[in-house]
Amino acid sequence: MYTGTTEEPCCLCGTEETATRIDLPPRAVQLMRHGDPIAWRDIESTVTVYFCADDWQTVRDLVLETGMSPLSRCNVAHASFDLREDFEALLNDVREEPDQRPREREMLADARETIETYGEDDHVEERDVVEARIVTWALEDLGERAPTE
């Protein structure tokens, strides 16, 4: 959904100068600050959050040294994602919700592989490991979804 803005502010402090981004599964918005009103089931893309250089260093330390996720401090209003259009109200028709489980399985498998190969593979950067751990923790915290959910 295009909102007319192209800014990608830091999800922690809101500054417009960002240095790093990470991609998350749509359900992760539930773990973010102000995420309750967002219909995560209507998100059709990954959720991207951005960090300024100072906050990225804090996030890096929090994840790699302390073993904690920063998502509860990230403002979902500064995240980037695509919502499906609401044709149901316009056409009086009900569309099926997107099935995000395949995306979640793929993101989790990629995250686990990244964590396992860190230090062995020169192509895996520290940023990749931070993203992988946050994705893994988010999906573990949210648990497995039932087939009808």
Side-chain angles (χ1 to χ4, degrees):
M1 177 168 113
Y2 178 70
T3 61
T5 177
T6 57
E7 291 139 6
E8 299 161 344
C10 176
C11 69
L12 292 173
C13 69
T15 188
E16 293 181 18
E17 294 291 324
T18 58
T20 308
R21 67 173 248 190
I22 63 171
D23 294 322
L24 306 166
R27 282 196 302 153
V29 300
Q30 297 173 92
L31 302 173
M32 297 172 71
R33 190 167 38 131
H34 307 302
D36 291 341
I38 304 234
W40 64 265
R41 289 176 177 89
D42 288 335
I43 296 175
E44 294 185 321
S45 64
T46 57
V47 175
T48 303
V49 292
Y50 300 87
F51 299 96
C52 65
D54 290 337
D55 285 343
W56 176 250
Q57 188 60 41
T58 302
V59 167
R60 181 228 164 264
D61 293 345
L62 190 66
V63 171
L64 297 179
E65 295 176 15
T66 311
M68 296 176 64
S69 174
L71 289 185
S72 65
R73 298 285 186 191
C74 293
N75 187 344
V76 76
H78 297 297
S80 175
F81 52 85
D82 294 323
L83 287 173
R84 70 182 179 146
E85 295 184 31
D86 188 8
F87 288 109
E88 294 171 3
L90 180 64
L91 302 174
N92 197 23
D93 187 21
V94 177
R95 292 178 12 187
E96 289 187 30
E97 294 172 352
D99 184 7
Q100 299 164 347
R101 286 175 297 210
R103 175 181 292 136
E104 288 180 3
R105 283 191 295 268
E106 181 180 333
M107 289 182 84
L108 186 58
D110 290 346
R112 288 179 175 156
E113 181 181 346
T114 298
I115 292 168
E116 288 174 15
T117 60
Y118 182 60
E120 300 170 10
D121 186 348
D122 292 339
H123 295 92
V124 177
E125 299 178 11
E126 195 174 68
R127 187 215 69 83
D128 300 329
V129 175
V130 171
E131 178 182 71
R133 287 191 177 167
I134 294 171
V135 166
T136 302
W137 293 335
L139 291 174
E140 286 174 358
D141 287 348
L142 294 166
E144 186 70 28
R145 289 189 297 150
T148 58
E149 190 177 355

